[in-house]
Amino acid sequence: MRFRREEAEGSVFASPPSADADEGSKMPRLFSGKAGPFGLHWASMAVSFTLPMAIYTLTACRTVYWGDTGEFLVAAIGLGIPHSPGTPLYPLLGRVFSLLPLAGTVLWVNLMSAFFASVSALLVYFIVLHASLARESTSRSCAIAGGLVASLVWAFTNSLWSYSTVAEVYTLQLAFVCGLTLIGLKLHLPKGSNLSLLPLFFFLFGLSLTNNITVLLLAFAFAVLIWRPFFALGAKWKTLVLFLFVLGLTPYLYMPLRSIHNPAIDWGNPETTSQFMWVLTAREFSRNMLGLKYALTGGIFKAFMIYLKLLLSDISTAGLVLSIIGAVSLFLTSKRILLFFALMYVINLAYSFAFGADLELEAYLLPSLLVLVVLLGMGAARLVSFGRKRFGLLIFAVVLLTPLTMLISRYEERDLKGNSYAEETGNGLISSIDEGAPFFTENTVDLFTALYVQSIKGVRPDVPLIYLPYLKYEWYREQVAQRFGMDIPQNEVRLIELMQAKGAYYTPLDKITIPYNLLIPDGIRFKVVSDSLTSDLISASDSRMASIDFDRETKDYDTRRHFAMIHSYLGEYFFLGGRSDLSSREYHRAAEIMPKNSEIQLNLAIALERSGRLDEAFSAYQRCFSLGGNRLRILKGLGKVSLKQENAAAARDYLLKAASLDVTDAFIFYNLGLAHLKMGDFRAAAKANLKAIELKPLFPEVHVNLGISYLNMGQLPQAVAHLRKAISADSVHIPAYINLAQVYVFMDSLETAMAVLEAGAAGAASSRDLRMIEGKLMELRELSKSLDKK
């Protein structure tokens, strides 16, 4: 579509030209009934909004939920400042919703997400409608059918539905993205366009950035649709639209103005320019960018597999096929619109993968999912049009079964109406804390659930809630000092001393970072004390845990994941403390909650192996393997367990596969050499052990195994050399002394053999070692006496 510049000139207050008067056009107005049969169009509009809104209302959480919802509820009801990049529009709108009558304040804030999700579903209907009717051969009825299908598929995807029933920013973000997309299409399409929508577009674009600044990344995609209309405008109109864009950004003024009053949530304390920019640019999260997190979580391939799994869970294989049909249809209709959707998809996908937030990947991927759903709707419209009048209605009915099936099959899992586990957890974290004791956590979920019950429910307002990772920031330490009267030292040792002195409570994120010997388990948390672990303390902790632990039959994934995580870090705690029995018990409970989690199964296998329950450990390793867990760690584990089970051949096979995956792990080659030794293959054992020595020269156990290998091959000087290297590496390594003495016996040097054992006895580190070496020494003395008699 081309505009003559002179058409856009004139007074800044004059309306730009419009093509809406074209009565012969198939393109509807933005909310016109001319898109098809009057009743069908308006009925589809009504269903697109009211059905999702009704379902979301029925399944909405009535209290706090996991993730950041506690923070957003406190920020909305108490007008606070949520985490970077600030999202000032959300608490402002949330506060308005919280004041509505008839329902409680918390429910209304949760229903705000439902409302904007339903708005986005309605807008998806219009997007598909407009994009489909760009193709001259597509009838209005087919376009309406495709729009309705896409709207309901979008509404009942797992990803959108999960954020539509709790307090979160994503549904508002998507309502903006859908609205901007629809306006962009109106500005681009040659019929029914209206340049007066440009000021609205720029205002909404600016406003959208105050809810979620990542919408800025989609500017390149939106430019494909609006750059021609924008440059067709005169200077006065350009000034107006840029002014409206800046006007849309004004909610950011809320952040410094509100921060001055020190609300309960005051993230980043953005009262100064530097702190405002720190929050706005989300500098705290920059370490997660550029794939750094993938080095810890399995790389880009694992991220892609997570994405593929989420995608098929959301729209299924059939939906993906419809999306491909829609993309082909759009390619034949308008390559510019296809380029717009392709850019939106690729940019969002690249950002999501670069950020690398595995647990929230579905939230970041929502705009790219939106693209696929729109294409799905266009594919559905095209499929219905193939059926013509005879089969079109039947095809539409079949395609409509997709979102209806999604609704029915996912309702129970997405129903959070009676889910109060997060609130109960928040109560459990702080309600029974000793008077004057602070609560430290490395976990924002625990922080926000505790903050919710404290700020909204009035539970234990005296307990200082402190987020450990942020103590590195000066603004946060100042905030803690101002609110709780606690001067937090930056030195880690002094911080732990302070936690001990105050009898603090603590919860980790995934790994315990405080020395385990300073912790005592206390239900779903730890108490920081210098005390010994007793049966009474374990029993009291178990009892407190049982009162908070959840119904194992719940369908809600996030609830199961949270409690599995609690049992997992309790398993880690007992493992570090040498209590493999209790460690395997906790990992077993975590595995019962999430039986398909490969990491939990792997930890369970390691704990079972450590406690000597080898058959169970072997089974756990195999389950982990079937779940697609870390193949290298599983093969190493299976190899070690097989060695302990005296199945050397199986151990060799597993360890050879592990060695093919990692040629830099000395322990793989050490265990492989041990397997060959047990099988009597001394040359293979020597080869594996030499590789281990190459990787780790000071490895006494490997030198001992090499000595044994060379001894059995009759290469006695090499055996002596490696056994002496073992003693040099570890002067109290008793097996080295015993085997070296054995070599000297074969060399007919009993005196040297006894001297070696006497040197070993002098340096024995334990009574057990001393008894073992003295026994061997006694045997040699008896042998010497018998030889003397002869």
Side-chain angles (χ1 to χ4, degrees), residues 486-693:
M486 293 176 60
D487 291 323
I488 305 292
Q490 288 185 264
N491 181 276
E492 185 176 340
V493 175
R494 291 182 58 201
L495 172 61
I496 293 175
E497 289 174 352
L498 173 70
M499 294 170 73
Q500 286 182 267
K502 290 188 171 290
Y505 292 79
Y506 160 79
T507 58
L509 175 57
D510 51 5
K511 294 291 182 183
I512 297 170
T513 59
I514 292 177
Y516 77 89
N517 57 312
L518 300 179
L519 300 175
I520 293 296
D522 187 45
I524 60 174
R525 65 199 175 189
F526 294 101
K527 189 168 184 178
V528 186
V529 292
S530 296
D531 202 352
S532 57
L533 190 64
T534 66
S535 298
D536 288 343
L537 286 172
I538 294 171
S539 178
S541 175
D542 289 346
S543 176
R544 193 162 272 159
M545 181 73 184
S547 66
I548 301 168
D549 214 344
F550 80 117
D551 174 15
R552 303 293 170 88
E553 300 301 318
T554 183
K555 299 288 186 181
D556 180 51
Y557 173 82
D558 290 315
T559 299
R560 289 187 288 114
R561 182 179 66 189
H562 186 80
F563 282 95
M565 182 179 69
I566 292 172
H567 286 292
S568 291
Y569 66 60
L570 283 170
E572 182 198 5
Y573 167 80
F574 288 122
F575 188 86
L576 292 171
R579 296 296 304 270
S580 299
D581 54 336
L582 293 174
S583 176
S584 56
R585 181 194 72 174
E586 293 301 328
Y587 281 127
H588 183 71
R589 289 173 177 174
E592 284 181 339
I593 297 169
M594 297 194 73
K596 295 184 178 180
N597 185 289
S598 61
E599 193 67 25
I600 292 173
Q601 292 290 351
L602 181 59
N603 288 329
L604 173 60
I606 294 169
L608 288 167
E609 178 192 341
R610 178 73 67 88
S611 61
R613 295 156 66 180
L614 299 179
D615 291 342
E616 294 176 71
F618 192 85
S619 298
Y621 277 123
Q622 288 186 315
R623 284 196 300 273
C624 184
F625 194 90
S626 67
L627 293 170
N630 187 312
R631 193 162 180 257
L632 176 62
R633 291 183 66 190
I634 296 167
L635 289 169
K636 287 166 62 178
L638 286 168
K640 287 195 297 179
V641 171
S642 296
L643 276 174
K644 293 175 181 178
Q645 291 176 320
E646 300 298 328
N647 190 345
R652 176 202 58 193
D653 294 342
Y654 289 127
L655 292 165
L656 281 171
K657 291 176 182 177
S660 69
L661 297 175
D662 186 357
V663 296
T664 64
D665 190 331
F667 288 94
I668 293 176
F669 291 98
Y670 161 68
N671 284 312
L672 180 58
L674 200 57
H676 285 302
L677 265 182
K678 288 179 179 291
M679 295 177 68
D681 190 347
F682 303 115
R683 291 190 182 279
K687 183 179 177 181
N689 282 309
L690 284 171
K691 179 64 176 178
I693 288 295

Side-chain angles (χ1 to χ4, degrees), residues 387-401:
R388 307 289 180 182
K389 292 183 178 180
R390 182 175 298 180
F391 299 109
L393 188 60
L394 177 62
I395 294 173
F396 170 63
V398 171
V399 174
L400 192 60
L401 284 176

Side-chain angles (χ1 to χ4, degrees), residues 71 81-86 213 252 255 266-287 467 469-477 479:
E71 177 194 25
I81 299 167
H83 66 274
S84 301
I213 202 169
Y252 273 115
M255 289 167 57
D266 190 9
W267 208 269
N269 199 29
E271 298 171 20
T272 65
T273 303
S274 61
Q275 280 306 119
F276 178 85
M277 293 306 299
W278 185 86
V279 175
L280 182 63
T281 57
R283 208 167 302 161
E284 61 189 292
F285 301 126
S286 60
R287 61 186 174 84
Y467 184 47
Y470 272 28
L471 290 175
K472 62 186 176 183
Y473 297 122
E474 185 179 354
W475 68 264
Y476 188 69
R477 293 196 305 275
Q479 204 173 86

Side-chain angles (χ1 to χ4, degrees), residues 342-374:
L343 279 174
M344 180 184 289
Y345 181 82
V346 171
I347 290 170
N348 177 247
L349 206 64
Y351 164 75
S352 303
F353 278 17
F355 200 82
D358 287 358
L359 294 180
E360 290 188 281
L361 192 60
E362 60 183 14
Y364 296 103
L365 286 166
L366 280 166
S368 58
L369 177 63
L370 171 67
V371 171
L372 293 178
V373 171
V374 168

